[in-house]
Amino acid sequence: MDSLRTIALLMAIEEELEVELHPRVLADPAQASPAGLWRAVQEQRTTGTGD
């Protein structure tokens, strides 16, 4: 995935789920899967940290 698509995906996730994630989330191979993204969203919702 190129960087523009990565940012677009991150923005769509943030808007839809009302969270704010750091771009490092998608750069981390452990979080680049749907399950990894979901973990990052859940962490942000519980701790307020997006990374």
Side-chain angles (χ1 to χ4, degrees):
M1 185 179 325
D2 65 28
S3 60
L4 289 177
R5 289 181 192 219
T6 300
I7 297 301
L9 175 60
L10 185 62
M11 290 173 62
I13 290 169
E14 290 177 333
E15 184 176 322
E16 183 67 27
L17 301 176
E18 298 179 359
V19 296
E20 186 173 331
L21 300 172
H22 194 281
R24 281 186 299 207
V25 169
L26 294 179
D28 182 352
Q31 295 185 4
S33 69
L37 286 173
W38 183 245
R39 282 191 302 273
V41 167
Q42 291 299 95
E43 180 180 329
Q44 195 280 333
R45 285 180 169 177
T46 59
T47 66
T49 61
D51 52 19

